[in-house]
Amino acid sequence: MGKFNAALLWLGAPLALEYAGLLPVWGAIAWLLAPFIALAVLGLGAGAVASVMDACTGDRAVRSQGAGKAKASRTAVMPPSAWTIHHPGSP
């Protein structure tokens, strides 16, 4: 089945089922919006994972909190991460 036919089936199936009375209107709407809902959930999950990784590794936000204080930089005492070891010159 070609890509265009698959797209028509994806769009037409919930509408046909709703028209036949086998699928409620909210089910057809959820069916059609499912790819966008999945992208939103994946984006939220990726943001949560990035936030936890930043908190655990002492990256970006944690390093910038002590910038105004007159003590040694945290980067001077932190060991290099695996990323900076394998990618020299990266920020």
Side-chain angles (χ1 to χ4, degrees), residues 58-85:
D59 207 9
R60 290 189 290 263
V62 176
R63 288 183 185 162
S64 64
Q65 287 175 359
K69 298 180 182 175
K71 60 182 192 179
S73 172
R74 297 181 122 217
T75 56
V77 294
M78 290 179 60
S81 69
W83 176 264
T84 55
I85 289 172

